[in-house]
Amino acid sequence: MRTPWRAVATRGRATVAGLRRTWRRSLQVRVVSITLVTSSLLVGGFAYLVADNITNILLNNAKADVRERLESGQVYAASQLDTHTQPYESGVQRTFESTVDYLAGGDPKQIGGAVVALTADGSTSIKTVTSPAAEVQPMISPELREKIAQGKVAHQIRTGDLGRGRLKYLVYGSPVPSRLGQVQLYYFVPLDRQDQTAAQARSTVLVTGIALVLLLGLLSALVTRLVVNPVRGAARTAQRLSAGLLDQRMAVNGEDDLALLAASFNQMATSLQSQILRLEEMSRLQRRFTSDVSHELRTPLTTVRMAADLIFAERDEFDPAVARSAELLQAELDRFESLLTDLLEISRFDAGFAVLDAEPTDLVPVVQRVVDRLDCLASRVGVPLELHLPDAPVIAEVDPRRVERILRNLVGNAVEHGEGRPVEVTLAADETAVAITVRDRGVGLKPGEEKLVFNRFWRADPSRARQTGGTGLGLSISAEDARLHGGWLEAWGAPGQGAQFRLTLPARAGDRLTSSPLRLVPADAALAIEGGARRPGGALAIGPAPVMGEDARAEV
């Protein structure tokens, strides 16, 4: 028995979820629904007021008519009973009957007329007289009888059977001046016609109201459709434009505001298309220029390099000034050659010619080799290098040349910006990924700079004295190398707390990353944040759009 109920509950939840989704996504559904609910409330309230007023008017008219008949009947009954002085006279009963017959209209059994009753209390010989003959005593409540006994004219609405079935009656009573004791005159007027008229009025108002609500719903749907369709068309056109279909345009119909919106949208799309095409052409020319210049400079650079090597080899035989110039020439040629190499690498990335030569590689010696090569530079600037490597090999399917280049750029930048404080290099791995972090405690990154560090030729502080003579393309190339692996290259930094870069690569080539074995935000900085300090920095991930795991979500 649980399974059917559970299935019904599941379908019910799915239906509710579908309705909620439709409510959130469809402007037309919201407008039509709100219009229907509002108009239903207004029309329902109006219909209730109209039906109530009609009922009151019919009842008041019936009361006025009965009151008028009651007054004339009271006078007539008093004049007829004035001929008797004692309730035991022989003609009293006949007088009662003739009076009731006259007041009832002459036909005691008429269907549409009122029932008339004369009652006399205090004598057993005079009974209640009605036209047509029926039992009216249950229709007269003690409260009504008491008010009439006090000399008042009173009325009430009662339901009973007076020979025509069970109907609702307007009961009006009045005392009749007489020497026979307490005589009371009652009129029982059926309200079936009034009820039928009121029911017909309510039905008419209800049907009219329902038709009006449906008409308002239809009109709101049509009007909303006139507005929503162009908006949906604009949304579809914008999606196609964002997908690269720059020739998509909206249809312009008429000269109204929506047509003006469509025309303005098309003008904007045309302007964006021309701007994008112009920028694409400029970018293409720029990439081609960079590639051509890089290749063209290779030949003269080779010649100049050969001459410079000869001069540099014989510098000991020159005077000190010329020897120093030879050393400067050699250093600048090294820097120039490094710039050309980076430009050629960037041009290969831009052209889509970069290829990943992945192979199973132990990253422990790769990290150790990079740190050893930069140890002389770190010693010269007074920055200690600290390595945290696992004891076991860390095997991953990577391109060792590109990974080494990434690490060389990261560690070199950390040494340059370390401000004489230690730089920590950490390697860790789990079942799906490997990660390397490079942490310095130098000047750090200002808010927003973590979004700029991977831009080409960007420097955090161009006025700083550089130790490594970089080209400004190292982090850009590193980001492209990480993306080529399907990995992440992320940056975190805060003024006064230094910076940390994290490289995360999949352990098997082609796998998708979901988390990283190492934190992006350093533990000491995370403790400061948890202590209540607002982090004045940020983090940025470079690579494929990550599906962040629990660890990564907590860090970035």
Side-chain angles (χ1 to χ4, degrees):
M1 293 300 293
R2 292 183 179 179
T3 301
W5 285 109
R6 188 173 300 172
V8 171
T10 302
R11 286 195 296 269
R13 287 193 295 268
T15 302
V16 172
L19 293 176
R20 288 180 178 175
R21 184 165 53 252
T22 303
W23 174 267
R24 292 194 305 268
R25 294 181 178 180
S26 177
L27 175 63
Q28 188 174 13
V29 170
R30 291 200 299 271
V31 172
V32 173
S33 300
I34 293 173
T35 302
L36 288 176
V37 172
T38 305
S39 59
S40 299
L41 293 176
L42 292 176
V43 172
F46 177 74
Y48 174 80
L49 292 177
V50 170
D52 187 65
N53 287 335
I54 292 175
T55 303
N56 290 335
I57 290 173
L58 293 174
L59 183 61
N60 291 334
N61 290 339
K63 289 180 180 179
D65 180 64
V66 175
R67 183 68 178 263
E68 183 178 354
R69 294 171 62 183
L70 185 64
E71 290 176 356
S72 61
Q74 180 188 29
V75 174
Y76 178 79
S79 64
Q80 294 297 313
L81 296 178
D82 196 44
T83 59
H84 301 281
T85 59
Q86 296 295 329
Y88 300 105
E89 295 180 6
S90 59
V92 171
Q93 185 69 24
R94 188 167 53 254
T95 301
F96 265 65
E97 293 176 355
S98 62
T99 301
V100 169
D101 182 58
Y102 175 80
L103 294 178
D107 186 3
K109 297 182 180 180
Q110 60 179 325
I111 300 302
V115 176
V116 181
L118 272 174
T119 64
D121 294 338
S123 173
T124 57
S125 61
I126 301 177
K127 299 180 180 180
T128 300
V129 182
T130 62
S131 176
E135 183 62 40
V136 299
Q137 291 293 346
M139 300 286 289
I140 303 174
S141 67
E143 293 81 5
L144 180 63
R145 193 186 301 274
E146 183 179 355
K147 289 183 180 179
I148 296 174
Q150 296 174 359
K152 301 177 182 179
V153 177
H155 71 278
Q156 62 180 191
I157 296 178
R158 303 280 290 181
T159 300
D161 187 0
L162 297 182
R164 295 175 52 195
R166 191 170 182 81
L167 297 175
K168 185 167 63 175
Y169 287 88
L170 174 62
V171 183
Y172 244 103
S174 172
V176 178
S178 167
R179 290 179 291 180
L180 300 177
Q182 192 179 72
V183 180
Q184 299 175 349
L185 174 63
Y186 292 95
Y187 274 77
F188 300 85
V189 180
L191 298 178
D192 53 340
R193 293 182 179 177
Q194 288 80 359
D195 286 344
Q196 292 177 1
T197 304
Q200 292 177 358
R202 285 193 293 268
S203 300
T204 302
V205 172
L206 180 61
V207 172
T208 305
I210 293 176
L212 180 60
V213 169
L214 294 177
L215 180 61
L216 288 175
L218 179 61
L219 289 177
S220 64
L222 293 176
V223 173
T224 308
R225 185 180 182 86
L226 292 176
V227 177
V228 169
N229 281 349
V231 175
R232 290 176 178 172
R236 289 192 295 267
T237 304
Q239 290 174 353
R240 295 191 186 103
L241 288 173
S242 64
L245 303 177
L246 301 179
D247 58 341
Q248 296 295 310
R249 297 293 183 271
M250 290 182 62
V252 180
N253 299 318
E255 300 178 356
D256 55 7
D257 295 336
L258 293 176
L260 179 60
L261 172 63
S264 301
F265 185 91
N266 290 340
Q267 292 177 1
M268 179 191 68
T270 301
S271 177
L272 288 176
Q273 182 182 16
S274 61
Q275 292 290 335
I276 291 173
L277 292 177
R278 186 173 64 88
L279 291 175
E280 287 181 348
E281 180 64 19
M282 291 178 60
S283 177
R284 186 184 65 82
L285 292 176
Q286 182 182 11
R287 290 196 300 268
R288 182 177 179 181
F289 173 78
T290 302
S291 178
D292 292 346
V293 168
S294 301
H295 283 88
E296 293 298 328
L297 289 178
R298 274 294 182 182
T299 301
L301 177 62
T302 302
T303 304
V304 174
R305 164 64 73 180
M306 292 173 61
D309 288 343
L310 291 175
I311 297 174
F312 184 76
E314 302 295 333
R315 68 183 184 281
D316 294 337
E317 299 179 3
F318 304 147
D319 58 74
V322 177
R324 178 57 180 165
S325 299
E327 293 175 354
L328 292 176
L329 176 62
Q330 185 75 6
E332 292 303 317
L333 281 175
D334 290 340
R335 184 177 178 184
F336 187 37
E337 188 172 9
S338 176
L339 175 59
L340 281 180
T341 302
D342 290 345
L343 288 175
L344 285 173
E345 190 68 22
I346 285 291
S347 66
R348 278 193 290 269
F349 280 118
D350 291 339
F353 294 153
V355 179
L356 184 69
D357 296 327
E359 59 184 34
T361 304
D362 185 4
L363 294 179
V364 174
V366 173
V367 176
Q368 185 69 56
R369 185 165 56 248
V370 170
V371 173
D372 291 341
R373 289 179 180 178
L374 292 173
D375 187 61
C376 293
L377 173 64
S379 300
R380 187 167 64 250
V381 298
V383 174
L385 291 178
E386 299 178 0
L387 268 177
H388 302 282
L389 301 176
D391 296 332
V394 177
I395 307 298
E397 294 181 8
V398 297
D399 187 336
R401 180 181 64 88
R402 296 183 184 276
V403 172
E404 186 172 344
R405 180 166 59 191
I406 296 173
L407 295 178
R408 190 167 56 248
N409 286 324
L410 296 181
V411 177
N413 284 339
V415 170
E416 179 183 348
H417 298 88
E419 299 292 327
R421 300 183 182 92
V423 171
E424 298 179 6
V425 181
T426 304
L427 172 64
D430 58 20
E431 296 180 354
T432 60
V434 296
I436 304 170
T437 59
V438 179
R439 168 80 159 105
D440 69 76
R441 292 175 174 79
V443 294
L445 296 175
K446 298 177 182 177
E449 287 187 347
E450 71 279 355
K451 302 176 182 179
L452 304 174
V453 292
F454 300 103
N455 292 349
R456 298 177 184 180
F457 301 106
W458 184 86
R459 298 185 189 279
D461 187 1
S463 63
R464 287 173 49 86
R466 298 186 54 84
Q467 301 292 335
T468 58
T471 63
L473 295 172
L475 289 180
S476 300
I477 296 175
S478 299
E480 296 293 344
D481 285 332
R483 187 180 292 112
L484 194 62
H485 280 85
W488 307 334
L489 182 57
E490 301 158 286
W492 170 90
Q497 299 187 42
Q500 177 160 292
F501 288 79
R502 180 178 69 178
L503 172 65
T504 307
L505 302 175
R508 288 174 295 275
D511 288 355
R512 188 175 184 183
L513 293 176
T514 58
S515 62
S516 179
L518 293 175
R519 299 172 56 91
L520 175 58
V521 181
D524 52 353
L527 291 175
I529 296 171
E530 294 174 359
R534 183 176 180 269
R535 183 173 66 184
L540 178 72
I542 298 296
V547 179
M548 305 302 285
E550 180 180 357
D551 176 64
R553 284 197 302 268
E555 301 163 14
V556 178

